[in-house]
Amino acid sequence: MKKDIILAGVGGQGILTIATIIGDAATVAGLHLKQAEVHGMSQRGGDVQSNLRLSTEPIYSDLIRRGAADLIISMEPMEALRYLPYLDKEGWVVSSSHPFKNIPNYPDEEALAGELAALPHVATLPIEEVAREHSLPKSANMVLLGMAARYMEILAPDRLRESIARVFAAKGEKVVADNLKAFDLGLEATV
Amino acid sequence: MKLLLGDEAIALGAVHAGISGVYAYPGTPSTEITEYIQAHAPAVRSRWCSNEKTAMEAALGMSYAGKRALVCMKHVGMNVAADAFVNSAITGVNGGLVVLAADDPSMHSSQNEQDSRFYGKFAMIPILEPSSQQEAYDMMPYAYDLSEGLRLPVLMRVVTRLAHSRAEIAVREPLAQKALCPDSERTHWVLLPANARRRYAALVEKQAALQESSVKSPYNSELRTQNSKLGVLACGIAYNYVMENDPASLGIPVLKVSQYPLPEATVRAFAAQCESLLVAEDGQPMVEEQVKALVGDGYPVLGRLTGNLPRMGELTPDSVGAALDIVTAPAYANAQNVMPRPPALCQGCGHRDVYDALNRVVAEYPDARIFGDIGCYTLGALPPFRAIDSCVDMGASITMAKGAADAGVHPAIAVIGDSTFTHSGMTGLLDAVNDKSRITVVLSDNLTTAMTGGQDSAGTNKFEAICLGLGVEPEHVRVVVPLPKNMEEITRIIREEIAYDGVSVIIPRRECMQTLKRKLRQNKQK
């Protein structure tokens, strides 16, 4: 069994934290893992992605083939669409529906939302709003991870919960509790 | 098992191989090696160096003293270190010395995609090119043994995708550091021509041993099937992209090459059981050219030079698959509603105010040219600022401004960051002072090496003293605080210094927003 995941977003949105949690859960579960990250210049507000490959078998390439990704998890709707050629026909897109506009020529929002909604397997949610409504403004990325957990298959939600607790442990109980709550909001949301 | 970034696997491998020091200047994608050692190996000397040349020389000094040393840099850093690097092959080493060059094919965060393997070939030393994070870790003790066995430095070359990708790593028992044991053979280390000729002859003589080591290397291995129409020679990380395409199912034999010089006997024997060869290598077609020379005219060698693989950019499982005639049609075409999202200077960054001020003043001088440099502030080239006319290499802002001023450009303005200034800007400033060049240097000081993630900057708190020491007139060293509320003062000072017929240095100084935020977060947690 394998799961090829593309994590997408804008530099500074916290996709590497999502990657860290999935990575921790996969390691504890004894899965093979490769996780290619973007460091350097793009982290300054540019588009960033991480290729995350989980498998019960050894993995060779750090990069995912075109048409082979099982899941695109994106903190931003336009960034979700950027990696569409990498998505498998049966693959899912799990994305924030809230645009992050730091460029002057951002596409028309309705057209963008329409293109995303037209995909056969897609789940979107205004994760920042959901997080804010529940007074968890810093945990939007965990809402997204919760949404994605439904399609992860190779890792059960409880494994991800345990990793959230481990990864945030140094920041105190409140931070752990907040992030777990955000994760559950995403997991249970109707999308 | 540990989940480690490729850079971290290299770092831990070196620590477990018993290094006593790591010497480096930050540069993507090599930075995390030294950062990991700083955070996890207090017994290893690990403070940042001013540039790659000082790093290379200090590492050679530690090797001279009998201990194992690691020196790390990005590929273009090899250009800076080249003098010391090439000559370290002539002196040879005492304690093991590994030079780690992290190349950046596709230029994710660089100004070129030069292939460091050429430097290893040029210096006539062994090169190791791991295919995976685990292999990078495993190779380290081997690299140090090889270095001490041949008494030569060893170049380890990795690429961005290996450096910045995580994988689970099996670790072994660490080796102890070596005892102090300085080399007493002066004729090896004093490269007067008479000694250097003998040392070079010795290096030439060692080449047969290097070949033998490559042929026997556990890292050069062959996956044999029966005789085949096509065989693949896969170098370093390209091996993974080849294996991802399951060559065994196609009956394609693979020769994995992770140690150079290219093992000639192995390649000849491999070529003999195939009718043609595909060379898959990340970077420039170095091996492809060598293989062509080895197998001779009439034997088809395919690769980047023949268009079977792209001539430039990093390899991918897709591009390698295409070269193996594996065609996969993506399920989805490119999306319609996607625009490029280039990086930008952070909101609140002091460089923003510097460019705002420069743009206001320069609007009054149609002939003005602004020579930029390497760092976050290179982003001043992009909208909304579009403020700089050049960015070439570390330190080139000051010296290019000087040359342009010599030719008659006025105003000739250089914009350089604090860390870049101590890396390679100071010597150029001395040239300008000695020549009384009519240039205005903006030394934009954010108290850190920001682009690579906020490492210590070598000159922090010393810039006025450095400029004065190099001979800039005290009244033309001006310090400002780059904030919107100070715009009037900053623009006035820029105008005054443009009018001065000599070298001026304006130092806008305000802490990087990223390091400031990090400090505030850390204080809050305490």
Side-chain angles (χ1 to χ4, degrees), chain A residues 107-131:
Chain A
D108 179 72
E109 274 188 53
E110 255 177 60
L112 173 60
E115 189 172 5
L116 203 51
L119 296 173
H121 314 292
V122 63
T124 62
L125 202 67
I127 55 170
E128 280 87 0
E129 277 177 47
V130 171

Side-chain angles (χ1 to χ4, degrees), chain B residues 265-300:
Chain B
T266 314
V267 172
R268 277 207 194 89
F270 184 71
Q273 57 163 332
C274 308
E275 290 167 32
S276 60
L277 287 184
L278 173 73
V279 179
E281 56 189 323
D282 226 350
Q284 294 174 298
M286 183 183 98
V287 169
E288 188 178 343
E289 284 180 344
Q290 288 181 50
V291 169
K292 274 170 69 169
L294 265 181
V295 297
D297 284 345
Y299 190 104

Side-chain angles (χ1 to χ4, degrees), chain B residues 79 105 114 139 204 250 273 304 322 352 354 362 459 469 472 477 501:
Chain B
N79 302 332
Q114 66 183 57
M139 267 181 179
V204 169
L250 305 166
Q273 57 163 332
R304 289 185 183 267
R352 284 184 171 261
V354 169
V362 162
V472 183
V477 177
D501 186 11

Side-chain angles (χ1 to χ4, degrees), chain A residues 60-82:
Chain A
Y60 284 108
S61 172
D62 298 88
L63 297 174
I64 297 169
R65 298 186 69 120
R66 282 173 173 258
D70 303 291
L71 194 52
I72 292 175
I73 305 176
S74 180
M75 290 291 292
E76 210 277 344
M78 181 178 84
E79 295 308 324
L81 287 179
R82 191 183 301 281

Side-chain angles (χ1 to χ4, degrees), chain B residues 92-171:
Chain B
V93 307
N94 183 19
L97 176 58
V98 173
V99 181
L100 186 294
D103 290 1
D104 189 21
S106 283
M107 301 178 240
H108 298 283
S109 226
S110 305
Q111 68 271 46
N112 75 32
E113 59 174 30
Q114 66 183 57
D115 188 328
S116 296
R117 294 177 302 170
F118 284 101
Y119 267 116
K121 186 173 188 302
F122 184 48
M124 302 168 71
I125 63 170
I127 308 167
L128 296 173
E129 190 187 13
S131 63
S132 68
Q133 291 78 4
Q134 181 71 55
E135 199 169 63
Y137 173 86
D138 293 340
M139 267 181 179
M140 270 298 170
Y142 176 82
Y144 281 99
D145 288 346
L146 187 64
S147 172
E148 285 163 4
L150 292 164
R151 295 192 69 82
L152 286 176
V154 168
L155 176 68
M156 186 182 282
R157 184 250 190 176
V158 298
V159 295
T160 302
R161 288 302 171 188
L162 189 139
H164 284 171
S165 181
R166 283 175 211 278
E168 70 274 30
I169 305 295
V171 296

Side-chain angles (χ1 to χ4, degrees), chain B residues 117-431:
Chain B
R117 294 177 302 170
F118 284 101
Y119 267 116
K121 186 173 188 302
F122 184 48
M124 302 168 71
I125 63 170
I127 308 167
L128 296 173
E129 190 187 13
S131 63
S132 68
Q133 291 78 4
Q134 181 71 55
E135 199 169 63
Y137 173 86
D138 293 340
M139 267 181 179
M140 270 298 170
Y142 176 82
Y144 281 99
D145 288 346
L146 187 64
S147 172
E148 285 163 4
L150 292 164
R151 295 192 69 82
L152 286 176
V154 168
L155 176 68
M156 186 182 282
R157 184 250 190 176
V158 298
V159 295
T160 302
R161 288 302 171 188
L162 189 139
H164 284 171
S165 181
R166 283 175 211 278
E168 70 274 30
I169 305 295
V171 296
R172 32 152 230 284
E173 283 299 306
L175 301 172
Q177 291 191 22
K178 301 193 73 170
L180 179 66
C181 178
D183 199 341
S184 46
E185 191 48 77
R186 283 184 170 174
T187 56
H188 290 186
W189 294 90
V190 181
L191 295 181
L192 282 167
N195 288 340
R197 279 180 212 115
R198 279 196 295 272
R199 297 301 294 157
Y200 184 54
L203 176 61
V204 169
E205 203 171 299
K206 276 181 195 173
Q207 296 306 301
L210 266 65
Q211 261 299 327
E212 195 189 334
S213 175
S214 277
V215 169
K216 289 182 178 163
S217 172
Y219 297 106
N220 292 339
S221 58
E222 200 176 320
L223 301 176
R224 225 177 254 272
T225 55
Q226 62 284 19
N227 287 5
S228 169
K229 263 194 168 154
L230 177 73
V232 181
L233 210 153
C235 306
I237 198 170
Y239 175 73
N240 291 343
Y241 302 138
V242 172
M243 295 306 287
E244 187 73 22
N245 284 287
D246 197 6
S249 71
L250 305 166
I252 295 175
V254 178
L255 176 62
K256 170 177 173 288
V257 176
S258 284
Q259 181 176 338
Y260 310 83
L262 192 66
E264 293 182 359
T266 314
V267 172
R268 277 207 194 89
F270 184 71
Q273 57 163 332
C274 308
E275 290 167 32
S276 60
L277 287 184
L278 173 73
V279 179
E281 56 189 323
D282 226 350
Q284 294 174 298
M286 183 183 98
V287 169
E288 188 178 343
E289 284 180 344
Q290 288 181 50
V291 169
K292 274 170 69 169
L294 265 181
V295 297
D297 284 345
Y299 190 104
V301 177
L302 315 176
R304 289 185 183 267
L305 292 170
T306 54
N308 295 74
L309 287 165
R311 182 64 180 83
M312 55 187 278
E314 65 181 344
L315 296 176
T316 65
D318 295 306
S319 63
V320 172
L324 295 171
D325 285 331
I326 298 168
V327 187
T328 48
Y332 296 97
N334 285 331
Q336 302 288 316
N337 294 287
V338 176
M339 288 295 179
R341 196 190 300 261
L345 289 168
C346 304
Q347 291 306 317
C349 169
H351 295 315
R352 284 184 171 261
D353 301 305
V354 169
Y355 284 123
D356 190 12
L358 279 171
N359 278 345
R360 286 179 198 215
V361 174
V362 162
E364 301 156 18
Y365 299 89
D367 298 328
R369 290 290 187 276
I370 299 183
F371 300 89
D373 224 303
I374 310 277
C376 285
Y377 51 96
T378 314
L379 295 171
L382 304 177
F385 300 106
R386 300 180 193 275
I388 62 175
D389 296 295
S390 76
C391 164
V392 181
D393 65 271
M394 296 287 281
S397 57
I398 295 176
T399 27
M400 279 188 69
K402 179 198 184 298
D406 290 348
V409 169
H410 180 77
I413 300 168
V415 177
I416 186 167
D418 49 310
S419 186
T420 306
F421 178 73
T422 42
H423 178 289
S424 289
M426 298 191 293
T427 43
L429 184 62
L430 182 60
D431 284 353

